[in-house]
Amino acid sequence: MTNLDEVAPNVFRVQGTHVNMAILRDGDALTLIDGGYPGDVGAAESAIRALGRRPEDVQGLLLTHAHIDHMGAVADFHERYGIPVYTDPIEVAHLRRDYLEQATGKDFVPMLHRHGVLPWLLRIARAGATKKVSVGDGLAFPADGALDLPGAPVPVATHGHTSGHTAYHLPQHGVVITGDALVTAHPLSKITGPQLLPPVFDHGHGDSVAALDHLATLEADIILPGHGPALAMPVADAVTRARSSAH
């Protein structure tokens, strides 16, 4: 499968439309972290079947945050199979769409003259970027510390990109799934390597740089971001580079 690669033992990156999903495997059971765009449901299913499993083997659906490019397979699998969805207590209301912290088409109008912006907008529109997706019965994490799900991910509050953004630490593998708190590339960014997303995507009241503090303390040397390739680098060093690129 060209859209599936193993970044650490039993930790897989799945590529959607300019966005990543993560699968954690423990025996026959799986956890899915983020779900790409609505049009990426097939990519998520194909990746799961490439591992010899079925979507019904997913024990829990985790969200870093409730933007449309992370909710596709999460909302679909929840609706079809009744798999529970967990996220930060603050983000639960965003997932329900009690409010929306997400860039809209009008936010990109001033950028349309820039190289690559219009083709990117067309690609994500085809992937379902304009669809209205919500999960009305998402759940807050049941307790602090490692979740009782395959892979035992540990939520790490990284509020900033959205008010309830969460990263997930896998201390047994030295992996951190950073969502959009720290990425390694994006079609609208001219740089590669550890960075924050372009400001147009930031809806957390300017706290994205401060959120990096919570990543810098983790014992992890493999970064699986929401956008861009996985990166083998101590997360503290990646945070330093992301801070420098933000100035």
Side-chain angles (χ1 to χ4, degrees):
M1 285 293 299
T2 56
N3 75 325
L4 177 70
D5 56 287
E6 190 169 13
V7 302
N10 295 307
V11 181
F12 301 89
R13 171 186 174 232
V14 183
Q15 296 180 58
T17 306
H18 300 301
V19 66
N20 295 325
M21 305 167 253
I23 296 173
L24 313 182
R25 180 175 63 186
D26 184 356
D28 292 340
L30 307 174
T31 298
L32 178 67
I33 302 178
D34 287 343
Y37 285 99
D40 293 325
V41 173
E45 286 204 37
S46 294
I48 288 169
R49 296 190 188 282
L51 296 175
R53 311 314 312 155
R54 304 173 303 156
E56 296 95 317
D57 296 317
V58 176
Q59 302 298 302
L61 300 160
L62 300 180
L63 274 173
T64 57
H65 62 298
H67 280 165
I68 186 66
D69 57 330
H70 297 260
M71 288 176 61
V74 169
D76 182 87
F77 286 8
H78 174 67
E79 182 177 348
R80 278 200 283 164
Y81 306 113
I83 305 166
V85 180
Y86 298 98
T87 192
D88 182 277
I90 295 172
E91 200 71 5
V92 168
H94 191 200
L95 179 60
R96 287 195 304 255
R97 291 299 185 251
D98 292 351
Y99 61 88
L100 183 62
E101 292 181 335
Q102 180 173 286
T104 62
K106 69 179 187 300
D107 295 309
F108 298 103
V109 170
M111 305 168 62
L112 288 178
H113 66 285
R114 298 185 190 175
H115 177 74
V117 172
L118 186 57
W120 172 77
L121 285 171
L122 292 173
R123 283 194 297 273
I124 66 168
R126 286 195 295 270
T130 60
K131 288 191 174 182
K132 297 188 185 305
V133 177
S134 63
V135 175
D137 55 352
L139 302 169
F141 303 129
D144 292 336
L147 299 173
D148 185 19
L149 289 171
V154 181
V156 179
T158 45
H159 301 170
H161 176 67
T162 65
S163 296
H165 189 285
T166 299
Y168 295 94
H169 186 207
L170 308 174
Q172 69 273 37
H173 298 302
V175 175
V176 60
I177 296 164
T178 56
D180 288 2
L182 175 73
V183 302
T184 59
H186 191 275
L188 300 192
S189 173
K190 294 181 179 179
I191 62 174
T192 57
Q195 60 187 284
L196 299 176
L197 280 175
V200 68
F201 297 108
D202 188 4
H203 299 277
H205 316 293
D207 296 332
S208 291
V209 174
L212 293 172
D213 292 341
H214 301 282
L215 295 175
T217 62
L218 301 176
E219 292 289 332
D221 52 17
I222 298 175
I223 298 163
L224 202 173
H227 303 271
L231 180 66
M233 175 186 287
V235 69
D237 294 348
V239 164
T240 298
R241 287 183 56 180
R243 285 185 183 282
S244 66
S245 71
H247 297 315

